[in-house]
Amino acid sequence: AQSVTQLDSQVPVFEEAPVELRCNYSSSVSVYLFWYVQYPNQGLQLLLKYLSGSTLVKGINGFEAEFNKSQTSFHLRKPSVHISDTAEYFCAVTVNDAGNMLTFGGGTRLMVKP
Amino acid sequence: GAGVSQSPSNKVTEKGKDVELRCDPISGHTALYWYRQSLGQGLEFLIYFQGNSAPDKSGLPSDRFSAERTGGSVSTLTIQRTQQEDSAVYLCASSLNGMSTDTQYFGPGTRLTVL
């Protein structure tokens, strides 16, 4: 079975500062990796996904993530955050041979302060 | 175009009552998923439909939970004899082909409160 760990439950950061949200996964087979964002009282919205190819993936709203197979990580980064980035961020995986449901990490609440 | 819609947005019920939650996926999407989001358990997979059939029901927490999908479109999640631990936000998602590489598009959720 696969699992996803988001090491930080909350990340406070000042506006215009850089941020990294950490995600590690565990799986015995190849995975596909996703980052979703959830704004208050809304559903989840895809930020970006890694399927294959270049390990650096760019997404919406200036976010990017890097897949590191040796460290089984898929950390999310943004060079300069805005107040509007305040939200919950979820890392998730699917596997190719065991159905296609998303397995989510516990989430990281990003709190951007002025 | 229209996204995934869910109804009701909020549902308050008494312990022991049955509830039905509805999901309208994006038109043309063959795959539909139900997840549950709760404080204690995070985001959990419940059930997946490909067309009208459910090849994976592994996430349903008990036999009080059931789901169906008709016409390859609308899905209903039914919880019988609700318990307080069923209180959560129930999220529905759809994807074009149900492949592991597909993006799943989520609805706004139904917040269920069992008193």
Side-chain angles (χ1 to χ4, degrees), chain A residues 36-46 88 90, chain B residues 4 6 37 89 91-92 105-109:
Chain A
Y36 280 86
V37 61
Q38 186 176 35
Y39 299 103
N41 300 315
Q42 294 186 28
L44 281 73
Q45 178 183 4
L46 181 73
E88 186 104 21
F90 292 94
Chain B
V4 178
Q6 294 185 245
Q37 186 174 24
V89 177
L91 293 168
C92 176
Y105 296 87
F106 284 80

Side-chain angles (χ1 to χ4, degrees), chain A residues 12-50:
Chain A
V13 63
F14 286 106
E15 193 173 19
E16 297 183 6
V19 71
E20 178 179 84
L21 306 183
R22 296 181 291 171
C23 171
N24 288 86
Y25 67 92
S26 173
S27 176
S28 57
V29 297
S30 295
V31 298
Y32 303 112
L33 295 141
F34 303 77
W35 274 100
Y36 280 86
V37 61
Q38 186 176 35
Y39 299 103
N41 300 315
Q42 294 186 28
L44 281 73
Q45 178 183 4
L46 181 73
L47 277 176
L48 48 79
K49 62 182 179 182
Y50 174 77

Side-chain angles (χ1 to χ4, degrees), chain A residues 2-114:
Chain A
Q2 61 278 4
S3 66
V4 179
T5 301
Q6 293 182 244
L7 296 167
D8 306 300
S9 59
Q10 294 186 64
V11 173
V13 63
F14 286 106
E15 193 173 19
E16 297 183 6
V19 71
E20 178 179 84
L21 306 183
R22 296 181 291 171
C23 171
N24 288 86
Y25 67 92
S26 173
S27 176
S28 57
V29 297
S30 295
V31 298
Y32 303 112
L33 295 141
F34 303 77
W35 274 100
Y36 280 86
V37 61
Q38 186 176 35
Y39 299 103
N41 300 315
Q42 294 186 28
L44 281 73
Q45 178 183 4
L46 181 73
L47 277 176
L48 48 79
K49 62 182 179 182
Y50 174 77
L51 304 181
S52 65
S54 172
T55 57
L56 183 64
V57 181
K58 293 189 183 297
I60 62 170
N61 302 340
F63 284 93
E64 63 181 32
E66 186 155 20
F67 170 59
N68 188 318
K69 188 174 182 179
S70 63
Q71 297 188 3
T72 61
S73 68
F74 190 54
H75 300 333
L76 181 71
R77 303 185 182 100
K78 186 170 183 178
S80 175
V81 295
H82 304 290
I83 296 287
S84 59
D85 293 322
T86 295
E88 186 104 21
Y89 292 79
F90 292 94
C91 182
V93 302
T94 61
V95 297
N96 199 27
D97 69 343
N100 48 23
M101 74 288 286
L102 289 160
T103 300
F104 287 93
T108 297
R109 182 168 299 278
L110 177 64
M111 299 174 294
V112 182
K113 301 179 287 185

Side-chain angles (χ1 to χ4, degrees), chain B residues 29-111:
Chain B
H29 280 195
T30 63
L32 186 148
Y33 308 79
W34 284 97
Y35 295 88
R36 180 169 71 172
Q37 186 174 24
S38 58
L39 283 176
Q41 302 297 324
L43 273 157
E44 307 170 274
F45 166 77
L46 298 179
I47 188 170
Y48 150 64
F49 287 92
Q50 183 64 47
N52 290 336
S53 63
D56 193 339
K57 303 179 182 180
S58 62
L60 293 177
S62 77
D63 59 7
R64 295 186 296 104
F65 287 71
S66 63
E68 65 175 12
R69 189 180 185 194
T70 55
S73 180
V74 172
S75 176
T76 303
L77 178 68
T78 300
I79 309 173
Q80 295 179 310
R81 305 181 302 282
T82 52
Q83 304 294 312
Q84 288 183 334
E85 61 262 27
D86 299 334
S87 295
V89 177
Y90 289 82
L91 293 168
C92 176
S94 69
S95 73
L96 186 60
N97 293 312
M99 297 175 64
S100 297
T101 52
D102 283 355
T103 296
Q104 293 184 25
Y105 296 87
F106 284 80
T110 293
R111 182 175 298 276

